[in-house]
Amino acid sequence: MSLIEKINRVFPQNSDIPTGLQQGIPFSQTGYLINGEIRQWEGPQHHVLSPVWVNIDGVPEPFPIGSYPLLTEKEALEALDAAVSAYDHGRGAWPTLSVAERIHHMERFVFRMLEQKERIVQLLMWEVGKSLKDSIKEFDRTICYIKDTMNALKDLDRISSRFAIEEGIIGQIRRAPMGVVLCMGPFNYPLNETLTTLIPALIMGNTVILKPPKHGALLYAPLLDVFCDVFPKGVINIIYGEGHSIIPPLMRSGSIHVLALIGNSSTANILKKLHPKPNRLRCVLGLEAKNPAIVLKDADLDLAVQECLLGCLSFNGQRCTALKILFVASAIQDEFLKRLVSAVNKLCFGMPWQEDVFITPVAEKGKTDYLQGLVADAIAKGAAVINEAGGTVNGSFFFPAVLYPVHERMRVYHEEQFGPVIPVLPFNDIKEPIEYMIHSVYGQQVSIFGKDPDQIAQLIDPLVNQVCRVNINSQCQRGPDIFPFTGRKDSAEGTLSVSDALRVFSIRTLVAAKQTQMNKDIITGIVRNHQSQFLATDFIL
Ligand code: G3H
């Protein structure tokens, strides 16, 4: 069968879908969580179509997998009221609970979340088209992240469980919550990236309103009960709906203290401006990126091709950290392209449940049209698709396209494609990729491929000031999660990592007293009698 024929037959018949994966699909979700209650919604629903289409009488059709509530401003403001009351100006039960007790709640949450693994993974796969293997990985990575977060908080608390005495002043310094946090995650890691802000926000004592992403909302249904049972009422509120109708009223209220958004900079900028007191708003943003790879002429080509392939096409290029433009030294461009094209066309493509599948349908509606538009623009301006069947579309499936040679007048040179299009540019002078990075509106990461320590060293020093991670002979990536994950320019605001996230969702605050006998007696009395959660020297073991 030719490649084009295989692409044309990429979608399964209903009967080809493993029965286990069809269980409970379609799934109509009506619950949402406000003030410790799972309320039932009887209004309009958003109907969810999977990126996985199904072949009906030879014609691929979108596959309905369920629906979720389209709440309104009213319910959004009820969620806000619940979060504001639970925080109660920092006097609520949750923000004043001891760190050890908050960790205890989180342990129960992990235990209950693990019980829902199979269902969450199944919904994740259906909703965003991520391979089953990678959906499982996303779940497991999230559990690890939560466990690491608990351990990092224990460490932080241990360090803070002591007094400092400086210039005759006794002080105890701890991190305290910020207030009400609005969390919104992206569709590409709807569980993991959302929880990498939600969990630290909660564990630091904030109260939270969570709006799951448009694609990747159903998978929160199995967690509603868990959140409801484990956390005190109002501490976590989960609302669903169109972002543009339910989020602006929250921001306009002025009652959101932290905006945690993994999404795009235009949304972030609009939302930030809606807050009536921007100085009271902290933002933790993970935004767009256009990470380049620079392949030097002495690069190990097998390694460079392998890493560029993973970097460009893991989860179909739908990662903020994906390599989105490849600069290749002219001296090796022919050999690099030959190997790249061959590797791309050997990739296994198909449905998410297939063993070893790598390329799957793209998640967003209209995405294949957008990608075709990018490719057509590049072709009109002198590039070619150099791999067989590159850019072939069947329904929501887009076969990866290697575009060469790309130049700055093409849209794909500037726009974040967030999909399986690989733009390649030859360069003669190393200044060319560096200039690209200087003028890019993004500044997340870069990958350099080469062997010469002198040349790599000369690149590291200018590039660390353009981006926030320089990867040597490997693709760009977020992990390991203990490493700082951030970006410059329009790529991020704030830094996330297991320990940094605890910091961004909290503020340092201290109790201080002159070292007089009276003050010493007061402090000793409070500590000895365990009268305060803050002024305490308890050591979490
Ligand atoms: O979409 C952006 C993610 O943070 C990327 O994470 O590098 O682990 O795929 P990753």
Side-chain angles (χ1 to χ4, degrees), residues 26 101 115 158 221 229 248 269 338 351 367 381 384 414 460:
E101 283 177 88
E115 292 177 338
R158 286 171 190 141
D229 295 347
N269 288 334
K338 194 173 97 191
M351 295 300 104
K367 189 63 187 246
K381 292 171 184 159
H414 305 277
I460 289 174

Side-chain angles (χ1 to χ4, degrees), residues 235-387:
V235 168
I236 163 89
N237 305 277
I238 303 185
I239 54 172
Y240 299 87
E242 299 283 6
H244 60 82
S245 51
I246 60 174
I247 301 303
L250 300 178
M251 295 305 293
R252 270 190 222 108
S253 73
S255 299
I256 299 294
H257 300 101
V258 186
L259 169 65
L261 168 75
I262 315 292
N264 67 62
S265 52
S266 53
T267 311
N269 288 334
I270 292 169
L271 294 180
K272 282 171 86 162
K273 284 188 193 134
L274 293 178
H275 199 289
K277 293 260 187 193
N279 56 302
R280 293 192 189 182
L281 179 70
R282 183 179 287 184
C283 291
V284 186
L285 309 173
L287 306 170
E288 310 95 286
K290 184 94 180 164
N291 294 340
I294 304 174
V295 186
L296 301 167
K297 69 170 188 272
D298 66 344
D300 173 333
L301 279 191
D302 284 336
L303 175 70
V305 165
Q306 181 55 22
E307 289 291 319
C308 286
L309 196 71
L310 290 174
C312 293
L313 296 178
S314 294
F315 192 33
N316 315 310
Q318 302 168 120
R319 293 160 63 223
C320 61
T321 46
L323 288 174
K324 298 195 178 100
I325 191 158
L326 308 184
F327 287 86
V328 181
S330 312
I332 51 155
Q333 69 185 48
D334 291 344
E335 189 54 28
F336 178 85
L337 286 170
K338 194 173 97 191
R339 296 191 199 188
L340 179 70
V341 161
S342 148
V344 167
N345 279 39
K346 275 190 202 139
L347 289 174
C348 174
F349 64 92
M351 295 300 104
W353 53 83
Q354 281 171 227
E355 192 63 25
D356 297 329
V357 71
F358 193 75
I359 300 292
T360 55
V362 290
E364 294 166 287
K365 189 167 173 243
K367 189 63 187 246
T368 53
D369 292 345
Y370 169 76
L371 295 174
Q372 277 184 311
L374 276 188
V375 170
D377 171 77
I379 291 174
K381 292 171 184 159
V385 172
I386 58 166
N387 59 318

Side-chain angles (χ1 to χ4, degrees), residues 1 10 29 64 190 215 262 326 384 416 433 456 467 476 494 541:
M1 203 189 306
V10 72
Q29 193 216 323
H215 313 284
I262 315 292
L326 308 184
E416 183 193 35
I456 292 178
V467 292
C476 297
L541 292 173

Side-chain angles (χ1 to χ4, degrees), residues 141 186 188-189 192-193 262 287 314-315 318-322 324 418 444-445 475-479 481 485:
R141 177 180 177 182
N188 60 338
Y189 286 89
N192 181 263
E193 290 223 286
I262 315 292
L287 306 170
S314 294
F315 192 33
Q318 302 168 120
R319 293 160 63 223
C320 61
T321 46
K324 298 195 178 100
F418 218 76
Q444 191 196 62
Q445 301 189 17
Q475 63 153 326
C476 297
Q477 63 184 46
R478 175 179 176 146
D481 287 325
F485 178 54

